[in-house]
Amino acid sequence: MLFPALADPPPGIALRVGERAMTYTQLRHAASAVAEQVRGSERVAVWAVPSIHTVVGVVGALIAGVPVIPLNPKSGERELAHILDDSEPGVVLTTPGEASAPGRPRLDVDLSAIGTMLPAEQDPQRPAMIVYTSGTTGPPKGAILPRRALATNLDALAAAWEWTHDDVVVHALPLFHVHGLVIGMLGPLRRGGRAHHLGRFSPEGVATAFEDDAATMLFAVPTMHRRLADAAQADRRIARALSRARLLVSGSAALPASEHERIERLTGQRVVERYGMTETLMNTAVHAGGDRRPGAVGPPLDGVELKLKAEDGDAGGIGEILVRGPNLFLGYLNRPDATAEALDADGWFHTGDLATLDPDGYVRIVGRRATDLIKSGGFKIGAGEIENALLEHPAVAEVAVTGEPDEDLGERIVAWIVVRDGRPRPQRSDLQDHVARLLTPHKRPRVVHFVDALPRNALGKVQKRKLVV
Ligand code: MCA
Ligand code: AMP
């Protein structure tokens, strides 16, 4: 059972999102009502605004055993159409008063409804969620996550972090990705503890949650940790509040060693890193009682097998991370080709991440095989999807998209544009808005360069490494 605490609700608050909170009993009533409404559907989606309704909708679908697709509420028209056509949800669970997917049936989640359907055991192999994630080319793929992956992974994290019902997790992560939704919301609910989502990220909000809401753990991407460190440097109150944490956890992208050390200097806390992926959930984590080394993401979690596959001409013990275990997804929806490419016949998932191993088995991520994947603010973005969107702009003849280091975002998206003959050069903001409108705002290029031609090799392939200013 995914949520034992709903079968026998403990006293106290289960969820807080922004200003709204719910007890376990209220959550059980409202989520059961959703479960009764969606029971028997093949799939449902949820318009994943940061609201308590979003979480109740997801929990309701999981109680009913109906796979749920979290939708980015800022999705642009092209990306949203692709996800909806690919996953065909029967209905979109929504927050009253908020938008939803145009032209699709919506079902407002009613927080005061009282359902009676009880969470029952379901087949552990049954899909629980389909989460869309970018590849190097083409539109995002839907990773099908089974119930056993959620259950075993949350329990392995609990063991690593000594995570119990006494913990209050604070975060402000988007609810349409694994980090915010599975680890940040379903994690505390599986423990019978409390999830506190701020609604919107701000260092002051995080500090207040530690001061006034007894928060014990923070989950955040490196960009948020960096912004917290800046705020802690400027304001002792924020530094003091962070020093009260039991665990500050970072993931979704590499936390620079310099930030790890700065946060320790300011707060006395050494950040715990964990390494995950949409398709695998969490693979490794530094344990609560473990050595919190900068730049290391810890050992594999219980039940997760991990090995490095040496690259050709193996340099310094670097290899691609391969993982196997109950944490793995079932495959990509409607994409047997992509599934076969990523999951080999022996059940190993090829992550594309390059790493080394410390003598005691701690993993250090040192890079990525694909240069066409960009991690910006913790979001994974494929260069190909942005190139395709920009090619639809009437003034764009040719385009290449790259990532470059960014102090705040880790990497920023850069577009190199050849303007179509006879067309005036478009405004940079026009190209950025175009990508935001078709895909999503976080995929917009932060930098746009206009060039006369793209460097190509004899076969006509763009040589992205030559694209430097
Ligand atoms: C800006 N905006 C626009 C435009 N430009 N809207 C429309 N058109 C435009 N041209 C809006 C944005 O929508 C946003 O609105 C606001 O302006 C600021 O956007 P942006 O600059 O992109 O945001 P930011 O301040 O840079 O965001 C930083 C962030 C964010 C908060 C750290 O990157 C973030 O939430 N990252 C988390 C990523 C994550 O959870 N990844 C997990 C996947 P508004 O202000 O209204 O929002 S990885 C994963 O799940 C695996 C398993 C793992 O290991 O964890
Ligand atoms: P996503 O597909 O959006 O789930 O992103 C997964 C990717 O994020 C992984 O393949 C890694 O490249 C990266 N990632 C996640 N956690 C970490 C971490 N702690 N350190 C470095 N990279 C990470």
Side-chain angles (χ1 to χ4, degrees), residues 133 177 250-255 273-279 297 351 353 365 368 375 378-380:
T133 181
H177 277 304
S250 178
S252 299
L255 182 73
E273 273 206 81
R274 96 290 179 286
Y275 156 64
M277 222 174 151
T278 304
E279 293 88 334
V297 296
T351 64
D353 291 312
I365 296 170
R368 220 173 7 240
K375 262 273 163 170
F379 287 115
K380 182 153 92 178

Side-chain angles (χ1 to χ4, degrees), residues 172-247:
L173 294 156
L175 296 183
F176 48 88
H177 277 304
V178 161
H179 193 171
L181 182 59
V182 177
I183 314 302
M185 301 308 298
L186 305 185
L189 296 181
R190 183 162 171 85
R191 301 271 72 80
R194 193 186 328 158
H196 181 162
H197 192 288
L198 297 171
R200 189 181 183 87
F201 175 76
S202 76
E204 296 72 25
V206 173
T208 305
F210 280 109
E211 284 168 344
D212 298 346
D213 194 32
T216 60
M217 299 204 265
L218 167 74
F219 293 172
V221 297
T223 300
M224 294 172 177
H225 282 289
R226 209 191 80 83
R227 294 181 186 181
L228 278 164
D230 285 347
Q233 208 157 342
D235 181 350
R236 280 302 301 158
R237 183 202 136 220
I238 290 178
R240 266 197 309 274
L242 292 173
S243 70
R244 298 159 76 140
R246 188 171 78 74
L247 287 181

Side-chain angles (χ1 to χ4, degrees), residues 184-419:
M185 301 308 298
L186 305 185
L189 296 181
R190 183 162 171 85
R191 301 271 72 80
R194 193 186 328 158
H196 181 162
H197 192 288
L198 297 171
R200 189 181 183 87
F201 175 76
S202 76
E204 296 72 25
V206 173
T208 305
F210 280 109
E211 284 168 344
D212 298 346
D213 194 32
T216 60
M217 299 204 265
L218 167 74
F219 293 172
V221 297
T223 300
M224 294 172 177
H225 282 289
R226 209 191 80 83
R227 294 181 186 181
L228 278 164
D230 285 347
Q233 208 157 342
D235 181 350
R236 280 302 301 158
R237 183 202 136 220
I238 290 178
R240 266 197 309 274
L242 292 173
S243 70
R244 298 159 76 140
R246 188 171 78 74
L247 287 181
L248 301 180
V249 182
S250 178
S252 299
L255 182 73
S258 54
E259 289 303 326
H260 181 108
E261 281 151 11
R262 188 160 72 114
I263 293 167
E264 183 179 10
R265 258 197 324 276
L266 290 163
T267 67
Q269 295 274 347
R270 289 171 75 85
V271 174
V272 160
E273 273 206 81
R274 96 290 179 286
Y275 156 64
M277 222 174 151
T278 304
E279 293 88 334
T280 65
L281 305 184
M282 300 304 110
N283 295 306
T284 73
V286 174
H287 289 215
D291 182 13
R292 304 178 186 186
R293 267 169 241 162
V297 296
L301 288 169
D302 288 351
V304 177
E305 290 178 83
L306 183 149
K307 65 181 183 185
L308 300 188
K309 181 174 157 241
E311 294 285 283
D312 292 343
D314 173 26
I318 297 177
E320 181 185 1
I321 301 177
L322 270 47
V323 289
R324 185 162 74 172
N327 53 318
L328 293 200
F329 74 148
L330 297 169
Y332 297 108
L333 185 66
N334 303 323
R335 293 293 308 274
D337 55 325
T339 306
E341 210 176 295
L343 259 181
D344 70 24
D346 296 322
W348 291 97
F349 179 77
H350 296 237
T351 64
D353 291 312
L354 300 176
T356 60
L357 293 181
D358 283 359
D360 60 358
Y362 266 43
V363 175
R364 278 180 192 275
I365 296 170
V366 296
R368 220 173 7 240
R369 287 189 65 197
T371 49
D372 275 347
L373 283 179
I374 302 162
K375 262 273 163 170
S376 188
F379 287 115
K380 182 153 92 178
I381 300 152
E385 55 183 328
I386 306 171
E387 289 163 355
N388 290 340
L390 285 168
L391 282 172
E392 287 189 39
H393 190 284
V396 174
E398 293 175 54
V399 59
V401 165
T402 56
E404 68 183 18
D406 183 278
E407 209 190 338
D408 182 41
L409 298 170
E411 287 181 284
R412 60 176 166 255
I413 301 169
V414 183
W416 306 79
I417 306 279
V418 179
V419 176

Side-chain angles (χ1 to χ4, degrees), residues 12-28:
I13 301 288
L15 283 173
R16 181 182 296 278
V17 182
E19 294 305 307
R20 292 191 92 136
M22 273 184 122
T23 63
Y24 268 96
T25 304
Q26 289 168 328
L27 172 62
R28 168 168 153 172

